[in-house]
């Protein structure tokens, strides 16, 4: 499959800049630089102007830049010069009257430093310009995300088969990382969340030394970095006999997931998707235990600008990739979250993840 058309991406960004009545943007977010150029190194900046773009980097990355983004205009700074100062010199050379900076990734100190250097250039703040473009994935990006999902699923299945009563949360997280790398991925998409019993009530809990034999279920939230793009999944494994309360809650969460996912299509209001899942849980008496949004966009980063949540009345569009992950949490008892990855197509959606999620499939008796 052909690599991304970085020139087209830069052209699309220029259109957004014209609407913002600006002729240039200093890109400082590493993910945004990767999206616009293909460069995956660090300590670099990208200056996009009306008719050109310049990647500002240092000598450590010269060969990498040649391999990842041949043809890109590059300025290699002097060793004694900071990347920010080098970018400022380029901006002065082009005599730009104004330039926007990314307020979400440039620090206040960096902004003030650049402002003092560019006394003849007006600096403005921008937010979400490149991120807006990144919301809509092209065919190449969908291919990479599919790969990230498959690696994550294969790693999970392999680790599941090796579980024992003595397996700890931290061992499970470590084994997932190992298997993802063994299967060709770069590693975990984010630090895996593994919670046995009551610790599954922590939506972002850190794995510790609790063993599977201590409680009858374990929540595992993980994803794979396939090298560039990410995936994000959650399953709750049942490892011994369960209380009736668990089965009831699990099926309510599963119903909320399925009801919401059936509404995923272009033109659907993001808050309506969230509300559909929340209504199911409200009717089951679990609404107050659903303490986060229903889902989020992801791709180069695990949380991107699309949000399926209360009050977000934006509309879904073809090419968006989102999670659906309703969850309920009871302190001192545990939590249940079921998460899958979806691609919004021209006429509906496609579930990218394929692992079963019905309760019988979650039963995994330990040796």
């Amino acid at each position: 499959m052909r690599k991304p058309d970085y020139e087209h991406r830069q052209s699309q960004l220029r259109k957004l800049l014209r609407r913002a009545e600006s002729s240039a943007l200093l890109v400082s977010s590493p993910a945004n630089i990767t999206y616009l150029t293909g460069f995956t190194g660090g300590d670099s900046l990208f200056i996009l102007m009306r008719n050109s773009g310049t990647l500002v980097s240092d000598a450590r990355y010269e060969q990498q830049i040649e391999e990842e983004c041949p043809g890109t205009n590059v300025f290699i700074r002097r060793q004694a010069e900071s990347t920010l100062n080098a970018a400022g010199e380029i901006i002065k050379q082009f005599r730009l009257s104004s330039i926007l900076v990314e307020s979400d990734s440039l620090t206040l100190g960096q902004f003030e430093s650049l402002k003092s250097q560019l006394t003849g250039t007006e600096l403005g703040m921008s937010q979400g310009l490149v991120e807006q473009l990144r919301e809509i994935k092209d065919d190449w990006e969908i291919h990479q995300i599919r790969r990230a999902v498959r690696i994550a699923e294969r790693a999970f299945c392999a680790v599941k088969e090796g579980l024992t009563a003595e397996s700890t949360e931290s061992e499970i997280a470590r084994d997932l990382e190992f298997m993802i790398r063994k299967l060709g991925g770069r590693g975990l998409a984010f630090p895996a969340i593994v919670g046995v019993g009551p610790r599954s009530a922590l939506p972002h809990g850190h794995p510790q030394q609790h063993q599977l034999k201590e409680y009858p279920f374990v929540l595992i939230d993980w994803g794979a970095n396939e090298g560039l793009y990410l995936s994000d999944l959650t399953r709750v494994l049942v490892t011994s006999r369960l209380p009736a309360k668990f089965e009831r809650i699990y099926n309510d969460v599963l119903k909320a997931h399925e009801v919401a996912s059936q509404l995923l299509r272009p033109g659907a209001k993001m808050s309506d998707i969230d509300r559909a899942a929340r209504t199911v849980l409200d009717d089951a008496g679990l609404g107050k235990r659903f303490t986060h949004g229903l889902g989020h966009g992801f791709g180069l980063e695990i949380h991107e600008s699309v949000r399926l949540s209360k009050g977000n009345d934006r509309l879904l569009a073809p090419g968006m990739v989102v999670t659906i992950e309703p969850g309920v949490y009871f302190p001192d008892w545990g939590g249940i979250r079921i998460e899958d990855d979806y691609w919004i197509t021209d006429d509906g959606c496609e579930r990218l993840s394929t692992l079963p999620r019905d309760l019988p499939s979650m039963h995994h008796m330990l040796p």
Side-chain angles (χ1 to χ4, degrees):
M1 181 171 288
R2 281 199 317 192
K3 289 272 186 151
D5 186 344
Y6 296 111
E7 284 294 331
H8 175 71
R9 291 178 177 181
Q10 293 176 26
S11 175
Q12 293 298 105
L13 180 56
R14 289 188 181 96
K15 291 179 183 178
L16 295 182
L17 282 174
R18 285 196 291 271
R19 292 178 200 167
E21 299 182 344
S22 181
S23 59
L25 175 68
L26 178 64
V27 183
S28 49
S29 159
N32 288 346
I33 292 172
T34 297
Y35 181 78
L36 293 169
T37 69
F39 176 59
T40 63
D43 299 324
S44 301
L45 297 167
F46 183 64
I47 306 169
L48 185 83
M49 293 167 281
R50 281 180 176 169
N51 299 308
S52 65
T54 298
L55 180 64
V56 184
S57 191
D58 63 69
R60 294 172 299 168
Y61 295 112
E62 281 189 274
Q63 181 174 341
Q64 184 176 341
I65 291 169
E66 289 178 7
E67 293 174 356
E68 293 182 337
C69 39
T72 298
N73 186 35
V74 182
F75 180 85
I76 301 298
R77 64 172 174 81
R78 297 187 304 274
Q79 189 172 2
E81 185 179 30
S82 74
T83 305
L84 189 67
N85 284 346
E89 290 302 316
I90 293 171
I91 293 168
K92 285 195 289 188
Q93 288 174 17
F94 279 92
R95 298 181 179 179
L96 297 176
S97 59
S98 65
I99 188 170
L100 295 177
V101 302
E102 294 187 312
S103 60
D104 286 337
S105 57
L106 200 73
T107 69
L108 178 59
Q110 290 171 323
F111 179 82
E112 293 296 336
S113 176
L114 194 62
K115 186 176 180 181
S116 65
Q117 184 182 3
L118 299 175
T119 54
T121 302
E122 180 182 352
L123 266 64
M125 294 286 193
S126 74
Q127 190 174 39
L129 287 176
V130 184
E131 288 83 354
Q132 181 179 336
L133 297 176
R134 284 170 48 196
E135 289 180 351
I136 308 301
K137 273 60 178 178
D138 59 30
D139 290 344
W140 184 83
E141 291 178 290
I142 296 298
H143 179 269
Q144 303 308 113
I145 291 171
R146 285 187 194 278
R147 182 169 182 266
V149 171
R150 295 295 170 265
I151 291 173
E153 291 183 328
R154 290 175 63 195
F156 176 79
C157 291
V159 170
K160 182 176 70 170
E161 292 309 310
L163 294 177
T164 69
E166 286 72 36
S167 296
T168 68
E169 297 166 341
S170 60
E171 287 171 346
I172 294 170
R174 179 202 65 200
D175 291 346
L176 283 167
E177 172 93 25
F178 173 80
M179 284 305 306
I180 287 170
R181 291 181 181 276
K182 187 174 181 179
L183 291 166
R186 179 173 290 180
L188 287 164
F190 52 91
I193 300 165
V194 185
V196 172
R199 299 199 68 259
S200 60
L202 300 170
H204 286 174
H206 300 292
Q208 295 183 1
Q209 299 305 313
H210 294 279
Q211 296 180 318
L212 293 184
K213 65 183 180 182
E214 297 176 25
Y215 295 95
F217 60 94
V218 57
L219 182 147
I220 304 174
D221 186 339
W222 83 106
N225 179 338
E226 56 81 37
L228 203 56
Y229 283 81
L230 312 176
S231 56
D232 191 0
L233 302 162
T234 306
R235 290 293 184 270
V236 181
L237 291 180
V238 176
T239 55
S240 62
R241 188 173 180 179
L242 285 168
K245 176 180 178 180
F246 181 96
E247 182 173 353
R248 176 179 61 81
I249 294 172
Y250 187 95
N251 287 326
D252 287 332
V253 173
L254 179 58
K255 181 181 178 182
H257 184 122
E258 292 176 342
V259 166
S261 64
Q262 290 168 6
L263 299 177
L264 293 174
R265 61 178 59 88
K269 193 180 295 184
M270 297 182 191
S271 58
D272 286 348
I273 310 296
D274 177 274
R275 186 180 302 111
R278 214 166 287 278
T279 297
V280 171
L281 295 176
D282 283 340
D283 291 345
L286 300 170
K288 291 182 179 180
R289 300 297 181 179
F290 182 18
T291 55
H292 53 74
L294 177 66
H296 57 85
F298 66 95
L300 287 169
E301 296 177 293
I302 202 59
H303 290 101
E304 296 190 348
S305 52
V306 174
R307 289 286 188 273
L308 305 180
S309 60
K310 289 181 179 180
N312 185 0
D313 292 337
R314 294 186 57 208
L315 305 182
L316 290 172
M320 289 180 174
V321 177
V322 299
T323 66
I324 293 290
E325 49 179 302
V328 297
Y329 312 94
F330 292 85
D332 301 321
W333 181 82
I336 296 171
R337 182 167 66 252
I338 305 170
E339 179 180 19
D340 280 314
D341 300 337
Y342 294 86
W343 168 37
I344 309 303
T345 61
D346 290 336
D347 57 0
C349 76
E350 179 183 334
R351 180 184 168 205
L352 298 175
S353 38
T354 62
L355 290 176
R357 58 194 181 203
D358 59 288
L359 184 54
S361 296
M362 295 300 98
H363 283 265
H364 184 74
M365 297 301 103
L366 301 173

